[in-house]
């Protein structure tokens, strides 16, 4: 695992086959994506290596629901109670719920409201 500090508050972590990011501020640390299932220990180790504690992690933010981004989430939730957040479209993908073929989105992209996040369970 290799950690690069790209700004005062952002670290990019290169795992074995995937990357994730750690964003820190006065309120704690947000983990962006969580790698494969086997990456849970490295995700936790990366928090410690930047001087954080597990209690400092406020949430894991999932950019999209591919295995290389969500694999360690079950361990992080079950073992450490870390909250995981994602956009509701990614949550539908995680549950394999998709819009039926031929059904258009309800709004045009030009008038779309900012996305809301959902808690991952």
């Amino acid at each position: 695992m290799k950690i690069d500090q790209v700004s005062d508050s952002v670290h990019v972590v290169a795992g074995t086959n995937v990357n994730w990011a750690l964003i820190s501020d006065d309120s704690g640390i947000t983990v962006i994506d969580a790698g494969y299932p086997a990456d849970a220990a490295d995700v936790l180790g990366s928090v410690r290596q930047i001087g954080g504690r597990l209690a400092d992690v406020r949430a894991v933010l999932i950019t999209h629901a591919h295995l290389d981004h969500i694999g360690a989430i079950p361990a992080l939730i079950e073992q450490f109670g870390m909250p995981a957040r994602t956009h509701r479209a990614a949550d539908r993908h995680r549950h394999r719920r998709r819009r039926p073929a031929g059904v258009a989105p309800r709004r045009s992209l030009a008038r779309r409201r900012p996305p809301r996040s959902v808690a991952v369970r």
Side-chain angles (χ1 to χ4, degrees), residues 2-71:
K2 179 181 179 236
I3 302 175
D4 289 317
Q5 185 170 359
V6 297
S7 76
D8 289 342
S9 60
V10 179
H11 293 80
V12 176
V13 184
T16 306
N17 294 308
V18 296
N19 301 319
W20 57 90
L22 306 170
I23 301 175
S24 58
D25 63 17
D26 293 337
S27 69
I29 298 170
T30 300
V31 179
I32 310 295
D33 291 328
Y36 285 108
D39 291 319
D42 283 345
V43 171
L44 299 172
S46 66
V47 169
R48 290 184 189 107
Q49 283 189 29
I50 67 164
R53 300 170 298 135
L54 298 183
D56 296 331
V57 176
R58 298 292 169 237
V60 180
L61 178 65
I62 304 163
T63 59
H64 62 281
H66 289 169
L67 183 60
D68 60 328
H69 293 255
I70 66 169

Side-chain angles (χ1 to χ4, degrees), residues 95-111:
H95 290 291
R96 304 296 186 251
R97 296 186 307 252
R98 294 197 172 88
R99 185 181 301 118
V103 174
R106 291 171 34 158
R107 300 178 199 267
S108 74
L109 292 177
R111 295 182 300 173

